[in-house]
Each structure stands twice: as C-alpha cells, then as structure tokens.
Amino acid sequence: MSGPQTNDDIDLVIVGAGLAGLYMLHSARGIGLNARVFESGSGVGGTWFWNRYPGARCDVPSLEYSFGFDEALQQEWEWTERYPTQPEILRYIDHVADRFALRDGITLDTRVLSSHYDEPTSRWTVTTETGEVVTARFVVMATGCLSAANVPKIEGSDDFAGEIHHTGHWPHEGVDFSSKRVAVVGTGSSGVQSIPVIADEADHVTVFQRTPAYAVPAYNQPLDPAEVEQVKADYVNWRTVARRTATGFGGHARSGEMQAALDLDPDARAAVYQERWEYGGLTFLGAFNDLLFSQEANDTAAEFVRGKIADVVDDPTVAARLSPDTVIGCKRMCVDSGYYETFNRSDVALVDVSATPIERLTETGVQVDGVVHDVDAIVFATGFDAMTGALNRIDIRGRGGVPLTEKWAAGPLTYLGLQVNGFPNLFTITGPGSPSVLANMIVAIEQHVEWITDLLERMVADGVTEVEPEPQAESDWVDYVNLVASITLFHGCSSWYLGANVPGKPRVFMPLPAFPEYKQKCDEVAAAGYEGFILT
Ligand code: FAD
C-alpha cells in the first residue's frame, strides 16, 4: 500500500536548491548534520534554472558573483565574460553540486507544501507535494527572494489564442519567435534584458510599459585573462573586501563612495557620471555617497541618465516615454545591452500603460484603451512576489499552529532577517529584514549560511533544543530596518522592495540597505552568546 513515507532521522530540511540551498547543504554536512534538500524544479540552480529567457544574465560581474568559501573552487572555475549568461551560471552551479557531491542529498521535482512545528517533540513536520512527510529538528528556507513568479491576473487570459510565457518560468527548449509578433509586458530587469534579444528574432515587438526603467550600459565583453589572473592571485582579500562594502562587491566596488554629489560643481559632477557611465554597470549608483539620501543629489544622477536616453533614442516622444521621472535607484537599476537603442527599430513599438492599464487579453492580442494590439505571443516580464512570496506560498505554522502568513499579515517581522519569533529552529536565508537583494546576493547568502551553521553547531554541541528570537529583539529589529529605510530615498517609488508590484501586498520596505553594518551586527550578536535569541 502506498502512503506517506516518514523519516525521523533528519536533522535539517532545506527547501530550495539554488545557491543558498546548495551551500547550506554543504555546510550542514560539514558539521555532521543529516540534511535533506527538497527542490520543486527538475534541476539545481534556482534563479538560474528557471530564468532561461533570451538575454538572461547576471548584472554583477562574474568574478564577484561566485562562491568564495572554497579557495580551490574559485581558482579552478573559469568565467568567460564580464557578466555571465544564465547558461554559464547554471553550469557553474551544476559544477558546485558535483564538486561537493551534493546531489544525493537533494530530492528534485518535489515542492514543499507545508512545514508545521510540533511543540512536544520540538520538531518540524515537512510535507511535500509528492506525499512525502519528513520530520526534522531544523528547517532552513532557502526558497529565494525572487522565485515566486508574479503573473498578472488579466481578464481574458484564457481567450488569447497564442502562447504566453513568464520570464521566470521559461521553457527549457527555448521559444522560437521568428516570424512572430511578440508583446513584452514589463520593463524591469528581465524586460530590459530580453527586449533587445527578442526584437532581433521576432517580426515585431510591442513593449507594454507601466513604469520606465533607469538602465546603465553593461559593456559586456570577454574577460581579460590578465584581470582574471590578478583577481585570482588575491581572491581571498577580494572576498573579504566584498563583505565590507555596502554592495557586497570586492574589486569592482570602485572608489567615490566618500564623495557627495552636491559638493561638486555641475561640470565636475557630470565628469564623474560620464566616467561611471563609460565603465558601465551598477557601480553608476556608487558615484557619490548622497545619491540615495538627498533628493537634490539624486536628481542630478537622474537628469544625467535622462540625457543619455534622449541622446540614444531618435524619436523625442519615445525618449520622453522611456525616461523615468522617479528617484533613480529606488527601484532596482537595470544593466542593459542595447535596450534604449532597440526603440529606434521600425519593428519595435512602445505602448505606455501607466495611465491606461492593459484592459484585457483578447483572442488576438492585448487590449489597451479600447485598441487591440495583435500579437502571436505574450511575454510577461512582470517579476516576482519578492522576498516573502515563496515563503507565504508554503503553509508554515509555528507555535500554537499560528500560520506565518497570519504573523506577517501586515508585513514581514523577523530578527536579523534570519528567524521569526514563534517559529523556533526555522531559518530564512536572505530573509526580509536582511540586506539580501540590495547586495551582491551570493555574498549575502554565504554570510547567512555561515552564521546559521555556526549557530547550529553550537546548539548541537551544547545540547540546545530550540532557538528563536525574543519578541522584543524582533520588534526592535523591525523598527531599525524601517528607520534605516526611512532615511533613504527608497520610499520614493512603487518598487518590489516595498511589495508594490503585487496587488494587496502590505507596503513595507523589506531589505535592509546596510550590508557591512548588518554583518557586524550579526557577528556581535553571535559573539555575545546569540543576544536577542532565546536558546532553550
Ligand atoms: P533561488 O535561486 O531563487 O532558489 C530558490 C529555490 O527554491 C528555487 O529553485 C525554487 O524552485 C525553490 N523553491 C521555492 N519554494 C519551494 C518549495 N515550496 N518547495 C521546493 N522548492 C522551492 N542577484 C545578484 O546578486 N546579482 C544579479 O545580477 C542577479 N540577477 C538576477 C536576475 C534574475 C532574472 C533573477 C530572477 C534574480 C537575480 N538575482 C541576482 C537574484 C538571485 O535570485 C540570487 O542572486 C540567487 O540566485 C538566489 O539564490 P537562492 O538560492 O537564495 O534562491
């Protein structure tokens, strides 16, 4: 008779086999824990397994976007480009899984449906979609900040006769857009990356834009062997530096952070922006230290980018539509390869849906303001229910059977973005309230995994059964995150950092914009015997 299997020998269940889940498994094994990973996808890689859309690549340089925990790994892996493509990152992650012999601890094609805490036994019961039931002392949610796709609910979706894709769930076999008219909905990072590539292939592309993006050129290129040699000779130091910078970048952070934009006269300031623009990438926003704190300073950077858009885009009306008037950096900046230039093509059209949203899909296309734009395929580049989406899609219940969704009804509450009061022995990697998406995420992941591993090792050694945050520590932390966010300009637009892209989601600023200070705080908490945590 087939029925639910049970397995009571597990110390730790890890949900998710992206970068975070893999490193957590490796680390847990390193301290002798019996750990099991459940992953809903049919392969490892997380973000880089799912996001196979045309043009998908990382906007952190490859030499930075890689694990630093193992010297041999970082020496042996050869990146080919300044910004790695999705296939190259996925190859890297597969290599990590093989190199550290992780695959036998991972169950693929298995979505975790629920995780319930049993107070008498101090164990979590984890149930999967395939009917497996496992109990474990610890649970680590390595479910990803950007893994729960946000597919907009648009009337008439079932009526559309063509194909519909979301960039975050791209078919493995790829999509053939040749001879097709394609609609791309959304102009965040995934839209900015995919639109130029889709336009190269398709017959015609119509871009539906609600909010224009600020994009800085990538100037992607093959890696210079001399640079690689130089970095590898000093990799350990690079990684140390990365953990001390606000962005989690080691060598590419660049100087300038100590200078205020408003301290320079307009010409000198423009020269700094120009130099950053020519260097390319996300370091543009690090040109000055007041860009995310002073509206006046921010305006100077925004104006510079708008000038660049006007230079590139031939039609002034289209250029104006593509030019954001919001705070630069309060939404995640995009790094592009020919994005603005794409709108000079005669086979690319821009439809502004800020004032008149998409009304419905019809059998033949996308209807806006009574006009149907006929297309053969629709690509939703509409992003994710970020940071809390993947967690809230699991039925997580802590002490007294309280659901996490209930505890987080008004927005996420955590201590250090690592744990939630009432949910003992359950950890989140890059959870809300930690720097996460505001830093180079692989650096944030390593810091979290190592911190959690140290705590688990200590608990096992000292015979500690449970750990959870004190209620006061948690509420003080939430206040602190809000305070830090409130002195920045991050509230200046409707971003996914605030949950504004998902209808009905509480508007709470979720990541903490202070990576080095955060790391220091985590270190101090641990050094003080895990201050703010109750160890039972
Ligand atoms: P993920 O890679 O998201 O992995 C989480 C895994 O958990 C997924 O495989 C998912 O299937 C699985 N999962 C979730 N829920 C369940 C469940 N209930 N049951 C079983 N499995 C589950 N970060 C940067 O620092 N720089 C970048 O340039 C950058 N570019 C990005 C580009 C895109 C298109 C996207 C989407 C993200 C990007 N990110 C970037 C963020 C990226 O998510 C992180 O860098 C990193 O890959 C996160 O790893 P992770 O393991 O924490 O989460």
Side-chain angles (χ1 to χ4, degrees):
M1 193 186 84
S2 69
Q5 301 170 343
T6 59
N7 184 342
D8 291 331
D9 302 328
I10 310 244
D11 299 312
L12 166 64
V13 162
I14 300 164
V15 187
L19 290 162
L22 293 183
Y23 185 34
M24 191 67 237
L25 175 61
H26 176 63
S27 299
R29 285 179 166 178
I31 57 166
L33 294 184
N34 180 13
R36 233 183 121 178
V37 179
F38 291 107
E39 164 58 56
S40 62
S42 59
V44 301
T47 287
W48 308 105
F49 172 85
W50 295 107
N51 289 264
R52 299 168 187 242
Y53 59 83
R57 67 170 78 234
C58 192
D59 48 24
V60 170
S62 52
L63 291 166
E64 308 266 12
Y65 193 79
S66 45
F67 281 126
F69 69 81
D70 188 276
E71 173 65 0
L73 170 67
Q74 65 188 7
Q75 290 299 332
E76 78 202 8
W77 185 260
E78 300 290 348
W79 295 104
T80 64
E81 290 178 80
R82 182 183 187 188
Y83 296 106
T85 58
Q86 171 272 327
E88 187 165 17
I89 303 172
L90 190 56
R91 276 199 299 280
Y92 170 74
I93 300 176
D94 273 317
H95 171 72
V96 170
D98 292 332
R99 188 186 202 289
F100 297 103
L102 300 176
R103 293 195 194 268
D104 62 349
I106 303 168
T107 309
L108 298 171
D109 293 310
T110 305
R111 173 168 294 282
V112 167
L113 296 180
S114 67
S115 185
H116 294 177
Y117 193 61
D118 180 51
E119 290 183 63
T121 58
S122 304
R123 287 179 79 83
W124 285 91
T125 302
V126 176
T127 309
T128 74
E129 208 170 35
T130 52
E132 207 173 337
V133 180
V134 167
T135 76
R137 187 169 165 199
F138 305 107
V139 172
V140 171
M141 291 293 173
T143 44
C145 293
L146 300 170
S147 59
N150 178 35
V151 184
K153 290 185 179 63
I154 302 178
E155 203 190 319
S157 294
D158 291 338
D159 299 342
F160 181 62
E163 44 188 316
I164 297 183
H165 303 284
H166 187 283
T167 48
H169 279 258
W170 205 257
H172 288 202
E173 63 281 12
V175 181
D176 182 5
F177 288 124
S178 52
S179 321
K180 289 197 175 139
R181 297 158 303 167
V182 183
V184 181
V185 180
T187 53
S189 269
S190 307
V192 164
Q193 288 185 340
S194 61
I195 287 164
V197 187
I198 296 174
D200 273 345
E201 191 185 339
D203 234 22
H204 187 274
V205 173
T206 310
V207 177
F208 294 85
Q209 171 191 275
R210 186 169 61 186
T211 322
Y214 288 102
V216 178
Y219 300 123
N220 189 41
Q221 54 195 278
L223 272 177
D224 174 4
E227 184 194 355
V228 175
E229 195 182 325
Q230 195 188 359
V231 170
K232 287 193 171 178
D234 196 25
Y235 232 152
V236 174
N237 185 39
W238 260 55
R239 304 297 193 186
T240 309
V241 172
R243 291 184 178 208
R244 290 199 200 116
T245 64
T247 51
F249 280 35
H252 292 94
R254 316 195 66 224
S255 57
E257 280 88 354
M258 300 313 292
Q259 202 175 11
L262 299 180
D263 285 348
L264 299 189
D265 65 50
D267 286 347
R269 198 163 49 222
V272 174
Y273 287 137
Q274 181 62 28
E275 191 260 322
R276 292 273 168 158
W277 187 265
E278 285 169 15
Y279 182 79
L282 293 173
T283 57
F284 179 82
L285 216 53
F288 298 109
N289 62 10
D290 51 352
L291 294 183
L292 285 169
F293 297 96
S294 153
Q295 183 66 56
E296 199 183 340
N298 191 281
D299 288 343
T300 65
E303 194 50 45
F304 179 87
V305 178
R306 283 193 287 266
K308 291 292 180 192
I309 298 170
D311 288 347
V312 171
V313 180
D314 298 338
D315 181 336
T317 313
V318 176
R321 272 195 211 141
L322 288 169
S323 296
D325 59 2
T326 46
V327 170
I328 185 168
C330 80
K331 280 191 170 199
R332 190 178 162 84
M333 290 270 297
C334 300
V335 178
D336 81 290
S337 297
Y339 175 66
Y340 295 119
E341 290 84 344
T342 302
F343 293 90
N344 292 334
R345 299 175 64 128
S346 57
D347 54 3
V348 173
L350 180 64
V351 177
D352 183 352
V353 292
S354 56
T356 49
I358 293 175
E359 286 157 3
R360 57 172 294 129
L361 303 189
T362 68
E363 192 185 344
T364 59
V366 182
Q367 182 175 317
V368 179
D369 208 12
V371 177
V372 178
H373 301 265
D374 284 343
V375 290
D376 305 302
I378 300 175
V379 173
F380 284 115
T382 43
F384 301 88
D385 181 350
M387 306 208 60
T388 52
L391 294 166
N392 284 340
R393 288 178 191 187
I394 304 172
D395 175 13
I396 301 173
R397 295 182 192 217
R399 283 188 197 286
V402 173
L404 185 66
T405 46
E406 189 179 305
K407 167 122 191 183
W408 283 6
L413 306 171
T414 71
Y415 180 41
L416 300 173
L418 282 160
Q419 266 214 302
V420 182
N421 170 261
F423 296 78
N425 296 357
L426 181 129
F427 299 87
T428 50
I429 297 185
T430 61
S434 74
S436 56
V437 292
L438 293 179
N440 173 359
M441 282 204 72
I442 209 161
V443 175
I445 287 168
E446 283 190 321
Q447 186 255 338
H448 264 192
V449 168
E450 287 161 19
W451 194 94
I452 293 169
T453 306
D454 286 348
L455 172 56
L456 298 186
E457 188 172 27
R458 157 98 187 262
M459 287 178 72
V460 171
D462 294 356
V464 175
T465 319
E466 284 181 342
V467 62
E468 69 180 301
E470 292 167 4
Q472 190 60 46
E474 182 177 274
S475 81
D476 289 349
W477 184 253
V478 172
D479 290 347
Y480 171 72
V481 175
N482 285 330
L483 177 75
V484 174
S486 72
I487 58 172
T488 69
L489 298 175
F490 278 115
H491 289 275
C493 63
S494 300
S495 68
W496 55 258
Y497 298 142
L498 274 165
N501 62 327
V502 177
K505 190 166 174 173
R507 300 277 177 114
V508 176
F509 193 78
M510 293 179 285
L512 172 72
F515 184 66
E517 295 81 359
Y518 171 79
K519 185 187 174 305
Q520 191 183 338
K521 169 76 179 171
C522 289
D523 292 347
E524 285 168 6
V525 164
Y530 294 95
E531 193 178 27
F533 287 93
I534 308 161
L535 292 118
T536 316

